[in-house]
Amino acid sequence: MRLFVDTSAFYALASQNDAFHQKAKTHLKKLITGHEFITTSYIVAETLALLQNRGGKSAALHFLDSLNRGKWVEILWISEKLHLEGCRLFLKNTAEVSFVDCVSFAAMHHHSIKYFFGFDEHFEKAGFISTVSGE
């Protein structure tokens, strides 16, 4: 099964101070076999910025190294078409959904991904299925 990985999951995995840290680690161990993890270049950029802001550059570099070294996540590079679709979703969305989330939704629709690994309720509200709900 293909799973989209959101910034909230990456941050929870990387930060021991995050409220979802242990849950994310436990969940990743369950999912690592038999699932294909996918994210976008925008999620990588957002995660790097968040980690650098909250944990310093070394935290961001550690995350980047884990992506490059591990090859456990496929990164979808956002095309102009997906960027513009994200803009359209962002403009029409009245909730406090981030632009990066809107681009993620566009990418997930485009690549027929319906499941996500993360802790952001906006994904479920947009119709995607959480792999961590109810645990």
Side-chain angles (χ1 to χ4, degrees):
M1 177 169 56
R2 300 173 81 197
L3 301 175
F4 186 85
V5 184
D6 179 45
T7 299
S8 60
F10 284 133
Y11 185 77
L13 289 167
S15 175
Q16 293 181 359
N17 297 327
D18 187 83
F20 296 109
H21 178 70
Q22 193 56 50
K23 187 174 184 177
K25 281 178 49 177
T26 301
H27 198 68
L28 180 63
K29 287 178 185 175
K30 291 178 188 176
L31 294 173
I32 201 76
T33 304
H35 294 88
E36 182 182 351
F37 294 96
I38 298 164
T39 197
T40 68
S41 53
Y42 283 22
I43 291 290
V44 171
E46 181 178 60
T47 303
L48 285 168
L50 183 62
L51 285 168
Q52 184 174 359
N53 181 268
R54 293 187 182 170
K57 189 168 182 179
S58 64
L61 290 173
H62 182 73
F63 168 71
L64 193 57
D65 183 56
S66 76
L67 287 182
N68 293 334
R69 184 177 23 87
K71 304 284 187 204
W72 64 282
V73 179
E74 177 186 349
I75 300 171
L76 303 173
W77 295 92
I78 297 301
S79 64
E80 180 180 7
K81 179 182 176 182
L82 286 176
H83 176 88
L84 293 173
E85 177 61 17
C87 288
R88 188 187 67 72
L89 291 173
F90 186 68
L91 289 170
K92 85 172 202 177
N93 198 314
T94 57
E96 290 296 317
V97 179
S98 75
F99 173 69
V100 173
D101 283 353
C102 290
V103 174
S104 297
F105 302 160
M108 291 173 76
H109 284 299
H110 181 77
H111 291 280
S112 302
I113 301 168
K114 57 184 174 178
Y115 296 94
F116 74 97
F117 174 28
F119 303 96
D120 182 340
E121 72 278 354
H122 293 125
F123 282 79
E124 283 184 292
K125 289 178 182 174
F128 300 102
I129 303 165
S130 172
T131 60
V132 294
S133 305
E135 286 187 11

